[in-house]
Amino acid sequence: MAVPKRKMSRSNTRHRRAQWKASTPNLVPVTVDGVTYRVPQHLVRAYQRGLLRPEG
């Protein structure tokens, strides 16, 4: 694991952390009981198996 050689200032730490951005999930159409829903790609199997209930 990388270990910093010197202490990083609070300002630099916060500026570095501010660069992180969350991205929107990739939505994929899934048909459940004859109705098509758009759900996140990584949850498609759960919706198909009935583990999750689509809302709406």
Side-chain angles (χ1 to χ4, degrees), residues 17-52:
R17 288 179 181 166
Q19 298 304 313
W20 183 87
K21 301 284 188 295
S23 59
T24 58
N26 191 16
L27 297 180
V28 178
V30 170
T31 304
V32 179
D33 297 331
V35 181
T36 303
Y37 299 97
R38 291 178 57 85
V39 298
Q41 186 173 2
H42 68 282
L43 295 176
V44 170
R45 283 247 178 99
Y47 280 101
Q48 289 173 341
R49 293 177 180 170
L51 300 174
L52 294 175

Side-chain angles (χ1 to χ4, degrees), residues 5-20:
K5 195 159 195 166
R6 299 190 190 287
K7 182 176 181 178
M8 185 180 257
S9 71
R10 181 180 293 171
S11 177
N12 282 344
T13 301
R14 289 180 179 168
H15 276 89
R16 186 188 71 247
R17 288 179 181 166
Q19 298 304 313
W20 183 87

